[in-house]
């Protein structure tokens, strides 16, 4: 089966307080379509760095990130921006909703998303009575679901979700996992960072990251 | 989503900060516009007051005995050809408001009372071509005279009276008794130059030409002092006249204009600097503060230029709004105030639309530039670098 995401020999380091810190070391990863892959690890283990590199949000020190066979860091900034918008849905850990747009428009802001599609996803995530509220009028959990809707509404090839269920109760966390599973079952690929044990019920594979090294605890099918 | 629609949503959402930006821009552009309109009035009023100090240059016949002339209180019977006026105009000498005069002493009779007075024939002030100015001296109607206040007292004529008096055997109506100004003019009679030439039988002759020097341009060009510039010019025109420069009056006139011009320029430059600093600070601050938004928009597929347009349009819209309010209010207040501040020239003031447009355009360009640079810089980086590392 062809890989949607192919990560080859990825490494990343940066300098802080005069010290060189190696965050990722020789990471190799492949996610095929219809697969949901979870990454777990302690805080500071490099999860977010891995997700940002896979989402073409941050250039790694070395290695390749291929999305649908294209090296995202070989593209020009303008082409990468277009490619990222069409192929990747990214759910930031800090959500990053646009504060001056209402819930519906925060989803519609993504290119190619109609009002109908946005509404459909928001209703699916239990936000049908919050469509015209601005983010500051929502609870954190509601904002997380809006960010999730924004990440998947345009049907990208890959959805990357960084701790999408932090601060959510069990019921809402399952709702989010369920939506991502449904997205994967529809042909998309999902890369998710999550601590919750419940992720095991949804993910095809669970990877662990420690000191920049990636290991696998639940092998995929 | 259209960047302009996004911008309007953002402005409405953060309406307090938008209003603050518009008000600051309005205050400064208003002050600049007020200053620009007010400055025009101030300059006109200074010029009018400096002009009313009086002539600071006198051209007299070269053959005149200057010792006698000064001993007699700037009076002499010696005359020169009135053609010199035309020669000065043709040469475009560094002078303006030329007033040719003929002076004689004669007996004035009103009823039983007589007095020997200086009779001054003069024409309306002649502007130099290319230097049009409101006349400094208006013409006196043919057949009428104006009396100095002390001469009127001596002849027993009151200020509101317009009787007929006799001068050198001819009769003239008194059109006005002038207010006292504390000089020899209080004891003189003024009438039209040609009338005076005819009265005293000296056709086309004049005693002197009074004028105001306009030497600043030539002084800058040649590096010479005013008196040298004027003497050189006159020497090229004729050897039958010489020039006297009333030094203190010329210096006072020049100082008033230079000091007021420099002071106004300083104030104007300060206001421009304030406008530039305020707009650059406000526009770039907004772009810096919303840097993470640049990253998010990029992550959502907004290209560099769409992101820049988003930030520039906000700065430009608010600056145009602020500048429009400021220019309108500044011009209105300045026009209203100028009526009371500048009683003579105030009513003639109009809004300098060119200056207003320059203020608006410069403010808008500064806003566009100041907001675009941080936004463009941010948009050229990877989204994660702008949004910040999360873990």
């Amino acid at each position: 089966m062809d890989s949607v995401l192919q990560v080859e020999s990825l490494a990343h380091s940066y300098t802080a307080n005069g010290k060189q810190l190696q965050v990722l070391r020789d990471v190799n990863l492949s996610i095929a379509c219809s697969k949901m892959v979870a990454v777990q690890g302690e805080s500071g283990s490099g999860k977010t760095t891995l997700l940002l590199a896979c989402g073409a949000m941050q250039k790694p020190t070395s290695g390749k990130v291929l999305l649908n066979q294209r090296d995202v860091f070989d593209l020009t900034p303008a082409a990468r921006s277009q490619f990222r918008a069409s192929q990747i849905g990214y759910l930031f850990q800090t959500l990053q909703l646009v504060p001056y747009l209402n819930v519906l428009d925060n989803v519609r802001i993504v290119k190619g998303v109609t009002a109908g599609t946005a509404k459909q996803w928001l209703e699916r995530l239990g936000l049908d009575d919050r469509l015209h509220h601005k983010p500051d009028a929502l609870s954190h959990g509601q904002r997380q679901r809006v960010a999730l809707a924004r990440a998947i509404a345009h049907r990208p090839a890959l959805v990357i979700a960084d701790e999408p269920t932090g601060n959510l109760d069990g019921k809402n966390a399952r709702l989010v996992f369920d939506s991502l599973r449904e997205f994967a079952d529809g042909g998309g690929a999902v890369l998710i960072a999550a601590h919750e044990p419940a992720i095991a019920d949804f993910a095809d594979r669970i990877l662990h990251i420690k000191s920049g090294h990636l290991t696998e605890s639940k092998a995929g099918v | 989503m259209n960047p302009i629609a996004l911008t309007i949503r953002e402005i409405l959402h953060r309406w307090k900060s938008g209003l603050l930006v518009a008000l600051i821009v309005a205050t400064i552009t208003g002050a600049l516009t007020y200053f620009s309109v007010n400055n025009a009035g101030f300059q006109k009023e200074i010029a009018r007051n400096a002009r009313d100090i009086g002539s600071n240059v006198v051209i007299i016949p070269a053959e005149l005995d200057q010792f006698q002339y000064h001993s007699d209180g700037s009076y002499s019977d010696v005359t020169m050809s009135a053609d010199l006026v035309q020669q000065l105009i043709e040469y475009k000498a560094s002078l303006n408001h030329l007033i040719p005069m003929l002076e004689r002493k004669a007996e004035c009779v009103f009823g039983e009372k007589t007095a020997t007075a200086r009779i001054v024939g003069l024409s309306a002030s002649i502007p130099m071509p290319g230097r049009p100015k409101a006349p400094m001296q208006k013409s006196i109607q043919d057949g009428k005279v104006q009396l100095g206040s002390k001469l009127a007292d001596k002849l027993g004529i009151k200020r509101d009276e317009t009787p007929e008096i006799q001068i050198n055997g001819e009769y003239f109506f008194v059109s006005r008794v002038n207010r006292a100004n504390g000089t020899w003019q209080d004891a003189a009679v003024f009438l039209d130059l040609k009338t005076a030439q005819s009265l005293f039988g000296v056709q086309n002759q004049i005693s002197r030409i009074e004028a105001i020097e306009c030497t600043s341009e030539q002084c800058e060009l040649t590096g010479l002092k005013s008196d040298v510039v004027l003497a050189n010019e006159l020497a090229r025109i004729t050897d039958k006249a010489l020039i006297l420069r009333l030094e203190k009056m010329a210096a006072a006139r020049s100082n008033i204009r230079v000091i007021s011009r420099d002071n106004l320029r300083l104030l104007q430059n300060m206001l421009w600097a304030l406008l530039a600093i305020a707009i650059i600070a406000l526009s770039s601050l907004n772009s810096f503060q919303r840097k993470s938004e640049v990253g998010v928009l990029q992550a959502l597929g907004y290209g560099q230029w769409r992101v820049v347009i988003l930030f520039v349009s906000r700065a430009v819209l608010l600056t145009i709004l602020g500048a429009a309010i400021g220019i309108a209010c500044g011009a209105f207040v300045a026009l209203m105030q100028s009526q009371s501040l500048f009683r003579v020239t105030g009513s003639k003031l109009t809004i300098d639309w060119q200056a207003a447009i320059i203020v608006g355009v410069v403010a808008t360009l500064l806003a566009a530039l100041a907001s675009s640079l941080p936004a463009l810089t941010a948009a050229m980086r990877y989204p994660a670098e702008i949004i910040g590392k999360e873990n």
Side-chain angles (χ1 to χ4, degrees):
Chain A
M1 191 182 291
D2 281 346
S3 293
V4 173
L5 176 71
Q6 183 86 33
V7 175
E8 293 173 6
S9 308
L10 196 71
H12 190 69
S13 64
Y14 63 89
T15 307
N17 297 329
K19 277 179 74 179
Q20 181 90 353
L21 294 173
Q22 192 73 33
V23 189
L24 297 175
R25 297 163 201 267
D26 194 27
V27 171
N28 291 285
L29 170 67
S30 173
I31 305 177
C33 58
S34 301
K35 297 294 175 193
M36 184 167 166
V37 175
V39 180
Q40 294 188 322
E42 289 175 0
S43 182
S45 58
K47 294 188 301 289
T48 295
T49 305
L50 173 65
L51 266 54
L52 287 170
C54 292
M57 301 281 180
Q58 183 175 7
K59 190 174 184 180
T61 310
S62 63
K64 279 187 174 180
V65 175
L66 303 169
L67 190 62
N68 283 334
Q69 318 302 323
R70 291 184 74 176
D71 187 337
V72 292
F73 296 107
D74 263 358
L75 300 170
T76 63
R80 184 166 47 246
S81 183
Q82 291 302 312
F83 187 70
R84 188 166 43 211
S86 63
Q87 301 293 314
I88 301 170
Y90 202 102
L91 198 164
F92 291 95
Q93 192 177 355
T94 46
L95 309 180
Q96 302 290 350
L97 297 179
V98 180
Y100 46 86
L101 296 181
N102 63 29
V103 165
L104 188 63
D105 288 337
N106 255 292
V107 180
R108 277 185 58 208
I109 195 173
V110 183
K111 206 174 172 183
V113 176
T114 62
T117 311
K119 225 168 174 180
Q120 193 185 323
W121 275 105
L122 289 166
E123 280 169 6
R124 164 86 179 78
L125 290 163
L127 292 164
D128 42 336
D129 57 342
R130 291 283 187 270
L131 298 182
H132 300 289
H133 287 69
K134 290 204 178 138
D136 60 2
L138 304 178
S139 70
H140 185 75
Q142 287 169 326
R143 288 204 292 267
Q144 273 177 311
R145 282 180 275 155
V146 177
L148 175 64
R150 185 177 69 181
I152 60 181
H154 61 301
R155 285 261 161 219
L158 172 70
V159 166
I160 297 174
D162 194 356
E163 307 277 5
T165 52
N167 302 315
L168 286 189
D169 56 40
K171 185 185 160 201
N172 277 313
R174 290 192 81 84
L175 181 67
V176 169
F177 290 146
D178 202 32
S179 299
L180 287 168
R181 182 68 257 175
E182 188 186 315
F183 174 79
D185 291 342
V190 176
L191 177 62
I192 178 173
H195 286 109
E196 292 78 2
I199 190 66
D201 300 337
F202 296 90
D204 297 300
R205 293 162 64 198
I206 295 179
L207 307 173
H208 288 271
I209 189 164
K210 193 175 180 184
S211 304
H213 290 291
L214 207 58
T215 54
E216 188 151 357
S217 68
K218 178 185 175 183
V221 183
Chain B
M1 198 173 280
N2 181 332
I4 303 295
L6 270 182
T7 302
I8 291 167
R9 299 267 194 105
E10 194 275 336
I11 291 172
L12 292 176
H13 180 74
R14 298 188 179 114
W15 67 271
K16 284 179 190 167
S17 84
L19 184 67
L20 191 67
V21 170
L23 282 178
I24 291 171
V25 172
T27 306
I28 303 173
T29 52
L32 206 49
T33 309
Y34 172 88
F35 180 80
S36 159
V37 175
N38 192 268
N39 185 16
F42 187 75
Q43 297 273 31
K44 276 188 180 179
E45 203 72 6
I46 286 287
R48 191 181 67 79
N49 279 285
R51 185 199 67 193
D52 289 350
I53 291 174
S55 304
N56 51 32
V57 166
V58 181
I59 299 169
I60 52 173
E63 62 189 76
L64 180 148
D65 178 349
Q66 281 196 55
F67 174 78
Q68 199 59 47
Y69 173 77
H70 292 305
S71 297
D72 292 345
S74 308
Y75 174 81
S76 171
D77 281 337
V78 180
T79 58
M80 59 187 174
S81 170
D83 294 342
L84 179 58
V85 176
Q86 194 53 38
Q87 288 175 286
L88 289 166
I89 289 170
E90 281 168 10
Y91 185 83
K92 283 197 96 178
S94 303
L95 297 166
N96 206 356
H97 296 295
L98 277 69
I99 308 173
M101 294 175 169
L102 174 69
E103 294 187 332
R104 283 288 183 274
K105 282 186 178 163
E107 195 164 72
C108 302
V109 181
F110 177 60
E112 299 297 310
K113 295 184 177 175
T114 61
T116 301
R118 193 191 291 199
I119 314 296
V120 183
L122 44 76
S123 77
S125 56
I126 303 164
M128 195 60 81
R131 294 176 204 147
K133 292 277 168 72
M136 185 175 152
Q137 169 69 51
K138 290 180 180 169
S139 61
I140 299 171
Q141 218 178 332
D142 189 20
K144 292 193 174 178
V145 294
Q146 293 176 4
L147 297 188
S149 62
K150 298 304 162 200
L151 176 60
D153 288 348
K154 184 107 178 159
L155 295 174
I157 298 168
K158 292 181 179 154
R159 272 188 68 82
D160 53 354
E161 290 177 342
T162 55
E164 210 174 25
I165 64 165
Q166 192 185 5
I167 304 169
N168 212 26
E170 286 194 28
Y171 286 91
F172 296 90
F173 278 105
V174 175
S175 64
R176 192 171 85 182
V177 175
N178 294 333
R179 283 183 186 278
N181 68 6
T183 69
W184 59 265
Q185 293 171 356
D186 291 345
V189 177
F190 298 90
L191 70 167
D192 174 61
L193 176 63
K194 289 210 180 314
T195 309
Q197 287 170 335
S198 167
L199 179 66
F200 297 112
V202 279
Q203 299 298 336
N204 202 39
Q205 290 291 300
I206 52 173
S207 306
R208 63 173 191 254
I209 300 166
E210 291 193 352
I212 289 179
E213 68 177 18
C214 297
T215 50
S216 53
E217 196 180 306
Q218 283 299 315
C219 288
E220 275 178 29
L221 203 69
T222 60
L224 298 170
K225 286 188 172 179
S226 287
D227 53 347
V228 181
V229 168
L230 291 171
N232 287 349
E233 286 181 354
L234 190 63
R236 287 192 195 102
I237 297 167
T238 181
D239 58 355
K240 292 190 168 57
L242 55 86
I243 202 154
L244 301 180
R245 188 167 177 268
L246 309 181
E247 190 62 39
K248 277 189 180 173
M249 206 178 274
R253 194 169 184 277
S254 163
N255 286 343
I256 288 170
R257 299 191 81 154
V258 168
I259 289 169
S260 61
R261 185 195 62 203
D262 290 352
N263 193 42
L264 291 171
R265 195 174 289 167
L266 179 73
L267 273 170
Q268 195 162 27
N269 290 345
M270 280 174 65
L271 279 173
W272 272 111
L274 197 61
L275 178 72
I277 291 167
I279 287 179
I280 289 170
L282 290 169
S283 304
S284 52
L285 187 68
N286 178 264
S287 297
F288 278 122
Q289 281 179 331
R290 292 170 59 202
K291 244 177 14 179
S292 67
E293 207 177 305
V294 176
V296 176
L297 292 170
Q298 270 190 293
L300 296 174
Y302 275 61
Q304 283 172 17
W305 292 110
R306 281 186 84 192
V307 169
V308 171
I309 287 169
L310 195 65
F311 283 77
V312 169
S313 57
R314 179 194 199 267
V316 165
L317 279 176
L318 290 174
T319 303
I320 289 174
L321 175 71
I325 295 170
I327 288 168
C329 293
F332 179 74
V333 173
L335 282 179
M336 290 297 104
Q337 266 203 347
S338 63
Q339 310 275 344
S340 56
L341 275 176
F342 312 123
R343 292 189 186 279
V344 178
T345 54
S347 59
K348 293 175 191 163
L349 283 184
T350 52
I351 301 171
D352 181 354
W353 287 113
Q354 197 183 349
I357 288 169
I358 290 172
V359 171
V361 169
V362 170
T364 308
L365 287 176
L366 279 173
L369 191 69
S371 57
S372 66
L373 291 178
L376 190 61
T377 312
M380 286 165 78
R381 296 166 67 190
Y382 281 92
E385 292 172 11
I386 315 163
I387 295 169
K389 186 85 167 60
E390 296 170 336
N391 238 347

